[in-house]
Amino acid sequence: MKKIFVLLLLPLLSFSFIADWQPVKIGDRVTVKFPKEPKFEKISDKLKWASSFDANSICEATLTDLREYGIKGPDDIAKNFSSQEQMQGFGIGLLSKIPGGKAISQKNTLFNGHRSYEYIIEVKKDGVIDRYIYIKSLFVGTDLISFHFIQKEKERSKNNQRFFSSIKVD
């Protein structure tokens, strides 16, 4: 009887474990949830967290301290990153780092009172669509925090929505 109970309970426990995403603090004021404990690394001037949900999707967050680029505070963010032209320039720089990438959507908005750029990038490999990258770049204080969800399908998956909706700013 105990063996049957354990066998019936095991799938429920494993689903519960999978369903509980891991909250991770990005910088001093931002939290986001990853599907599992993300891998952390420092890449030149950025800190990066990455975790995959499955073979077809990856969640990432990067943090760049903009003081290293002469940004002194929120007033500099407002001055340097609020116009549509500045967002387009930012997007051009972003696309230069993604071979085969093309912005199919871009949006300049506010997220909880903080400047945010949102992009959907279509990436082709050998002329065929290979993946989509959903990006939310968020300016908080002097930090640029970029969230990426990379997936094969164009339509936002439930995990894509869950990742972006888990972003919290203190």
Side-chain angles (χ1 to χ4, degrees):
M1 183 68 165
K2 287 182 183 180
K3 288 181 183 179
I4 293 172
F5 179 73
V6 169
L7 287 174
L8 292 173
L9 189 59
L10 191 58
L12 294 174
L13 290 174
S14 64
F15 176 77
S16 162
F17 176 74
I18 291 169
D20 292 334
W21 285 36
Q22 307 295 309
V24 175
K25 191 87 165 169
I26 309 294
D28 294 331
R29 300 180 51 202
V30 177
T31 304
V32 66
K33 291 183 180 179
F34 285 89
K36 60 184 177 184
E37 190 67 34
K39 178 183 171 189
F40 173 78
E41 60 185 315
K42 183 172 171 61
I43 303 171
S44 64
D45 63 340
K46 294 181 179 148
L47 304 177
K48 179 181 175 182
W49 295 259
S51 175
S52 60
F53 180 77
D54 56 32
N56 293 316
S57 58
I58 300 168
C59 304
E60 297 178 338
T62 61
L63 181 140
T64 304
D65 183 349
L66 294 176
R67 290 176 293 189
E68 295 181 25
Y69 298 92
I71 299 295
K72 295 178 182 72
D75 290 341
D76 282 350
I77 296 292
K79 182 173 71 174
N80 292 299
F81 297 101
S82 59
S83 77
Q84 197 67 18
E85 293 78 23
Q86 291 159 329
M87 184 198 72
Q88 289 172 343
F90 186 88
I92 290 169
L94 179 69
L95 287 171
S96 72
K97 298 175 186 175
I98 304 171
K102 174 185 171 189
I104 58 174
S105 173
Q106 37 187 345
K107 190 168 146 185
N108 182 350
T109 187
L110 292 176
F111 179 82
N112 292 345
H114 300 277
R115 177 63 45 209
S116 175
Y117 295 163
E118 297 177 11
Y119 301 91
I120 301 174
I121 310 293
E122 177 185 87
V123 182
K124 289 186 177 179
K125 185 176 182 180
D126 299 325
V128 177
I129 296 172
D130 181 56
R131 65 191 179 280
Y132 292 88
I133 306 172
Y134 292 80
I135 300 170
K136 178 189 274 296
S137 293
L138 185 59
F139 297 90
V140 178
T142 57
D143 290 335
L144 167 60
I145 304 169
S146 289
F147 302 94
H148 315 116
F149 193 95
I150 303 161
Q151 65 183 46
K152 296 285 185 186
E153 310 82 28
K154 183 176 182 180
E155 296 301 315
R156 284 186 182 263
S157 67
K158 288 181 183 177
N159 292 317
N160 177 313
Q161 294 170 16
R162 186 171 182 182
F163 179 64
F164 286 107
S165 67
S166 77
I167 299 168
K168 304 289 183 238
V169 180
D170 297 335

